[in-house]
Amino acid sequence: DALFSQVEQMVSKADLNNDTNCDPNLSLAITMVAGVDIHYKPTTPDITKGYLAFRELLRQRVLPPSTSEIEGSHDQDTILASQYREAVWGACMNRSFFVTVSGYFGLGPHFMRQGDVVAILYGLQFPAVLRPIGDDYIFLGTAYVHGIMHGEGVGKHEAAGASDHIFRIR
């Protein structure tokens, strides 16, 4: 519960990418599972129900059972919380939650640190995490970044008339 409280505080300080229509619970629920449900299918807004049920059980200091332990006697909220728990486990293993300077948040390599760069690289399906080393960069891995996973980042970049940056990766 302390971890989720910390993450919720970080998200509340982020500006949700200037999106006033953005539901913070939905944004966080999707990010903590890297955009996929327990069956690795894209999340729907219903993921918020599992997130809220999961959070409520954690507030009560109860860990939801794993989905393999679910029986017919469990209520719908416990089932949703269990499914959410397993999706979070799969998404967060060896990952760290982060917030960028520009207010985007996501999950990236666990060894990320302040000063690393999140970039959309042509030809790469997911945003990249790069570490500057002098004028060059080291590729650390990919990340889930809420708000730029489905072409939104490129669209915002083009709409702003921004120029591309060339990263020399070693």
Side-chain angles (χ1 to χ4, degrees), residues 50-149:
Y51 168 74
L52 293 173
F54 181 71
R55 291 291 288 130
E56 183 55 34
L57 287 175
L58 290 182
R59 281 188 184 99
Q60 297 171 22
R61 305 222 183 277
V62 174
L63 186 63
S66 73
T67 55
S68 63
E69 298 169 344
I70 292 287
E71 299 170 6
S73 62
H74 287 90
D75 62 280
Q76 187 63 24
D77 281 348
T78 302
I79 292 168
L80 290 171
S82 295
Q83 291 172 343
Y84 189 79
R85 169 192 172 192
E86 291 198 14
V88 166
W89 179 257
C92 291
M93 176 111 43
N94 294 317
R95 309 298 268 170
S96 291
F97 183 84
F98 65 86
V99 177
T100 68
V101 171
S102 55
Y104 289 95
F105 54 90
L107 294 174
H110 68 90
F111 43 81
M112 286 180 70
R113 64 180 186 219
Q114 191 169 353
D116 289 344
V117 175
V118 176
I120 299 170
L121 302 178
Y122 289 109
L124 194 60
Q125 184 177 4
F126 302 105
V129 179
L130 307 173
R131 179 158 299 150
I133 305 290
D135 292 335
D136 297 338
Y137 293 83
I138 295 175
F139 178 81
L140 300 179
T142 59
Y144 176 89
V145 185
H146 188 74
I148 67 168
M149 293 302 297

Side-chain angles (χ1 to χ4, degrees), residues 13-31:
K13 290 177 186 172
D15 66 3
L16 292 178
N17 312 312
N18 300 315
D19 185 352
T20 55
N21 297 321
C22 191
D23 173 3
N25 284 327
L26 177 59
S27 299
L28 187 53
I30 291 170
T31 299

